[in-house]
Amino acid sequence: MKITTPIVDFVKQYTTSNPSRFHMPGHKGTPLLGPEPFDITEIAGADVLSAPNGIIAQSEAQATSLFGTAHTYYVTEGSTQAIKAMLALVAQNVPRHRKARILAARNAHKAFVYAAALLDLEVIWLFPAAHEHLCSCRLSADDIAKAIDAMPDPPDAVYLTSPDYLGQLADIKSIAAICRARKVPLLVDNAHGAYLRFLTPSRHPITLGATMCCDSAHKTLPALTGAAYLHLAPTATAYLPNVRAALALFGSTSPSYLVLQSLDLVNRELAAYAEPLTACVKTVTTVKNALMAKGIPLLDTEPLKIVIDANRLGYTGEAVADHLRSHHIEPEFADREVVVLMVTLMTNDNDYRRLLAAMDALPPKTPLTTPSISPLTAVSAACSIRDALLAKQTVLPIAQALGRICAAPTVSCPPAVPIVISGEVITEEAIRLFAHYGIDTIAVMEDMIAR
């Protein structure tokens, strides 16, 4: 398949024609930051993202072929928009007399919580057997099967995050088989795993049997921030007529043409991605082995993440991150337990050398004794996610929040995984987890206290 770049070509042609821009944006192509000449709006010939039949449709068709989907949709407002659209598509198929019921792993991004509020979903949470980290929720196919079979009626969808923020992958193939046998759609937040499609063999959720998934192109592919995909599996064609409307429900009517051009160009990269990706994975494996040979403990992760278990090294994650910054290395994420480093094909040999040298310069210490933190194995909800998130709120210190009802999920981004969800009662167990992760305040419903 010959890959073309119709969006990029159109914008270049328009820019070089030196038009008088009596249209938005207000910068009129004047290069203040730099990319303004290529920043356009939905002018004649530019196509319309919400109803494409020209250059955007042509570019999306190429992405669809590359990802092997029923259709791959361009998204300009990140995986957040795609997550909301996926859930809206499920909710549309639920009888109007009840809410959509979603069986979801507890390490969901707060975008899922916001979607649950906007769509008034009923969420049944799945918790891990053992607490490893806020971002982790290890669930087997058997766990999913037991959870579905224990419900009076099957859920309207199962929702998982894989890879999670620490790079841990769920067994999507086995879980998809469980869901398929029970006729339950499997939705996957694959924001951190767009590149998985181009491994040999593919480890992408759609390849492994998911019904729908979102990818953040900007996280692991060479795309601008905000570039994302919504993928529908070849078995999910029944949803196709309503996808554009679902995306439009949560997206701006002024999509970024810089982001669209970025997605257009990425197609060309992906057409020849498998071989350099294989080489990149080999390099990262070599770097991981070198770090472990130096005594640096790492978590077992998907190929393009390096996650340092800082406590076993004798440090907090924040301390290791500060050390890396002193060597001109900026990590993706750090907390008291881990440091997360994200790698792509654009990471160069100098970056790897700098990382190895920096870790060489970190003096070894006695491993820290990580406090035993109980997981949240069950929660009490005083009201719906929607009612809580849209209620009048007040912010309290965590120490004063016992027994109050969470209004908005309090969490930084990254990792954007809430401890307590909107509508849930804040317990002593939850307060211990807040303290463990350094969260000092929380938004609670102003006029309600759990009884």
Side-chain angles (χ1 to χ4, degrees), residues 404-450:
R404 299 299 294 263
I405 300 167
C406 175
T410 302
V411 63
S412 63
C413 187
V417 176
I419 292 172
V420 177
I421 304 297
S422 305
E424 293 176 353
V425 179
I426 299 165
T427 62
E428 290 182 357
E429 184 180 56
I431 287 174
R432 285 194 294 270
L433 281 170
F434 281 120
H436 180 76
Y437 288 109
I439 297 172
D440 300 321
T441 61
I442 186 168
V444 300
M445 295 179 70
E446 187 172 285
D447 301 322
M448 287 186 66
I449 299 176

Side-chain angles (χ1 to χ4, degrees), residues 47-61 64 70-76 81 85-86 88-89 92 230 232 239-252 260:
D47 210 355
V48 178
L49 181 59
S50 60
N53 59 13
I55 58 175
I56 296 175
Q58 294 166 29
S59 187
E60 278 190 352
T64 296
H71 198 93
T72 289
Y73 296 84
Y74 286 167
V75 180
T76 60
Q81 184 185 358
M86 281 196 297
L89 289 165
Q92 288 171 359
L230 173 57
L232 269 67
Y239 295 104
L240 290 175
N242 298 309
V243 177
R244 297 286 181 196
L247 285 166
L249 184 63
F250 302 105
S252 171
L260 287 172

Side-chain angles (χ1 to χ4, degrees), residues 284-300 306-317 320-321 323-324 337-341 352 354-365 367:
V284 177
T285 301
T286 300
V287 171
K288 288 181 178 180
N289 289 337
L291 288 168
M292 290 187 288
K294 298 174 186 292
I296 309 298
L298 304 179
L299 300 189
D300 183 20
I306 301 173
V307 182
I308 300 170
D309 187 340
N311 291 175
R312 286 172 56 201
L313 194 57
Y315 293 85
T316 64
V320 174
H323 172 77
L324 291 174
E337 297 168 340
V338 299
V339 178
V340 177
L341 305 167
Y352 295 123
R354 185 178 284 176
L355 173 61
L356 292 169
M359 295 310 296
D360 265 343
L362 187 67
K365 295 171 67 175

Side-chain angles (χ1 to χ4, degrees), residues 10-140:
F10 171 83
V11 176
K12 281 184 177 177
Q13 182 180 26
Y14 179 72
T15 300
T16 56
S17 70
N18 194 28
S20 295
R21 301 190 185 202
F22 285 95
H23 60 75
M24 298 184 291
H27 54 63
K28 307 299 183 184
T30 304
L32 303 174
L33 184 62
E36 286 85 356
F38 305 100
D39 183 30
I40 65 167
T41 188
E42 293 166 326
I43 58 175
D47 210 355
V48 178
L49 181 59
S50 60
N53 59 13
I55 58 175
I56 296 175
Q58 294 166 29
S59 187
E60 278 190 352
Q62 294 181 105
T64 296
S65 177
L66 288 164
F67 280 95
T69 61
H71 198 93
T72 289
Y73 296 84
Y74 286 167
V75 180
T76 60
E77 295 172 59
S79 285
T80 293
Q81 184 185 358
I83 287 168
K84 292 173 181 175
M86 281 196 297
L87 293 164
L89 289 165
V90 169
Q92 288 171 359
N93 288 293
V94 172
R96 296 180 68 180
H97 67 271
R98 68 170 176 84
K99 299 179 181 181
R101 295 185 298 266
I102 311 298
L103 188 63
R106 184 65 178 197
N107 63 334
H109 190 279
K110 66 180 179 181
F112 172 85
V113 179
Y114 294 156
L118 293 170
L119 297 166
D120 201 13
L121 305 176
E122 179 185 348
V123 182
I124 301 94
W125 293 107
L126 289 168
F127 294 87
H131 179 74
E132 297 175 278
H133 190 277
L134 177 62
C135 296
S136 298
C137 187
R138 290 182 187 265
L139 297 166
S140 67

Side-chain angles (χ1 to χ4, degrees), residues 353-420:
R353 285 192 293 268
R354 185 178 284 176
L355 173 61
L356 292 169
M359 295 310 296
D360 265 343
L362 187 67
K365 295 171 67 175
T366 302
L368 296 181
T369 302
T370 305
S372 178
I373 300 295
S374 299
L376 286 176
T377 55
V379 293
S380 173
C383 65
S384 71
I385 294 174
R386 178 183 177 85
D387 287 348
L389 195 52
L390 299 182
K392 193 172 183 180
Q393 306 174 9
T394 186
V395 177
L396 294 179
I398 291 297
Q400 298 176 23
L402 181 64
R404 299 299 294 263
I405 300 167
C406 175
T410 302
V411 63
S412 63
C413 187
V417 176
I419 292 172
V420 177

